[in-house]
Amino acid sequence: MVNGQWFPPDWPDRIRALADGSLTPVAPKRAATVMLLKETGSGPAVHMLRRRASMAFAGGAYAYPGGGVDPRDDDHHVRWAGPSRAWWADRLGVDEKAAQAIVCAAVRETYEEAGVLLAGPDADSVVGDTTGADWEADRAALVARELSFAEFLDRRGLVLRSDLLGAWTRWITPEFESRRYDTWFFVAALPEGQRTRNASTEADRTVWIAPAEAAAGYDRGELLMMPPTIATLRQLVPCGSPAEALTAARSRDLTPVLARARLVAGEVVLTWPGHDEFTKHIPSGTARA
């Protein structure tokens, strides 16, 4: 680990296998994650969770609420408010069904992992407190995939508030990884009356923290993070409020960030285009059995 960057020990061997043709990349799964922001009086804080150390992937790393797309998110008509599916398709660079699925994943995963719901009775309102036994039963059913998000909204008489989200960036897991995701990162402001909680079975801690403070913790090696997480934190630092972040999201470039690996003079060189701080030079003998 350099600074606070998580570095899987099997990467060097997998990179070499990709380079020599013995490793076939797996197709990335669509996913979404949300940088949930709240005003503190001295700038925004972002909600982060720490993955349990026992997790096979990025154990102990800090991340945002998020996860994979549920196939039903693009098969069912979802009650919708805000920019149209066609608008989101153009913004995200996908077709309309995929756009609905990605936005649904962002809203659903934020509710599943943080207990915050970006939905309301109509296009101009948002639900208030989402705690209580009945809400928890629905949340658990969503997590278990016993209930689709469309069914959940219908049951509650709610519409998804797509206007409360701002698309921020897009990262694709490197081709040499065994688990790959094509992930869209969004920003959103914590709705009035709602509060976060650690609702994820994959996390052992949650925090509200200023982006600059989190980035400093990473730089000191105190907070473990993957490249997309620290990169987005640094991008949030100039934003003076959640509203500023949502405004900035409108003009953000969503060209996918995909790591590149190549063999140079006997060592593996790993780079993320546009993010020089993550460049790694791995000696040829590293991580070999």
Side-chain angles (χ1 to χ4, degrees):
M1 182 178 74
V2 178
N3 294 330
Q5 185 179 338
W6 179 72
F7 182 65
D10 63 343
W11 269 13
D13 284 340
R14 295 187 64 86
I15 290 169
R16 294 186 192 92
L18 180 66
D20 66 25
S22 60
L23 175 67
T24 301
V26 299
K29 298 179 180 179
R30 293 177 307 188
T33 189
V34 176
M35 299 178 285
L36 191 63
L37 304 171
K38 74 173 182 179
E39 184 54 65
T40 66
S42 58
V46 61
H47 180 71
M48 304 189 76
L49 52 85
R50 184 176 65 186
R51 294 173 59 82
R52 294 186 183 277
S54 58
M55 298 294 294
F57 182 77
Y62 281 79
Y64 313 112
V69 165
D70 181 341
R72 295 173 296 180
D73 289 341
D74 59 7
D75 289 340
H76 294 65
H77 181 75
V78 174
R79 295 164 62 98
W80 191 276
S84 68
R85 293 164 179 81
W87 185 93
W88 277 107
D90 182 66
R91 180 73 181 108
L92 302 179
V94 296
D95 61 37
E96 289 189 31
K97 289 183 65 175
Q100 173 178 290
I102 293 162
V103 172
C104 279
V107 176
R108 175 175 45 75
E109 289 286 340
T110 302
Y111 181 54
E112 288 180 9
E113 296 197 340
V116 170
L117 183 59
L118 304 176
D122 53 52
D124 300 312
S125 60
V126 186
V127 294
D129 187 2
T130 57
T131 59
D134 58 334
W135 284 102
E136 178 56 25
D138 279 351
R139 193 197 65 79
L142 284 169
V143 172
R145 298 297 181 259
E146 297 168 354
L147 182 69
S148 74
F149 195 58
E151 292 167 338
F152 166 71
L153 293 176
D154 286 344
R155 175 185 296 185
R156 291 279 176 178
L158 300 174
V159 295
L160 181 155
R161 289 286 305 276
S162 76
D163 56 312
L164 300 181
L165 288 169
W168 190 264
T169 191
R170 178 183 178 185
W171 286 63
I172 301 177
T173 309
E175 292 182 331
F176 47 81
E177 270 281 26
S178 57
R179 299 179 182 180
R180 300 189 64 213
Y181 296 94
D182 185 354
T183 305
W184 282 261
F185 287 69
F186 295 86
V187 290
L190 178 69
E192 185 176 351
Q194 295 192 37
R195 59 185 187 272
T196 57
R197 60 191 178 90
N198 184 6
S200 173
T201 58
E202 298 181 353
D204 61 9
R205 183 188 184 209
T206 62
V207 296
W208 281 103
I209 187 169
E213 181 183 348
Y218 167 90
D219 290 335
R220 293 191 300 267
E222 298 171 357
L223 301 183
L224 192 64
M225 299 178 199
M226 291 179 284
T229 308
I230 180 59
T232 49
L233 281 171
R234 297 200 197 285
Q235 292 160 357
L236 285 173
V237 169
C239 298
S241 67
E244 281 189 27
L246 282 163
T247 298
R250 299 172 189 166
S251 56
R252 291 280 308 171
D253 182 7
L254 297 185
T255 300
V257 178
L258 174 63
R260 297 172 180 168
R262 64 188 190 278
L263 295 173
V264 180
E267 69 176 3
V268 175
V269 180
L270 180 59
T271 60
W272 277 261
H275 300 273
D276 292 342
E277 74 167 295
F278 305 129
T279 298
K280 290 190 174 297
H281 296 261
I282 306 168
S284 60
T286 302
R288 286 193 183 279

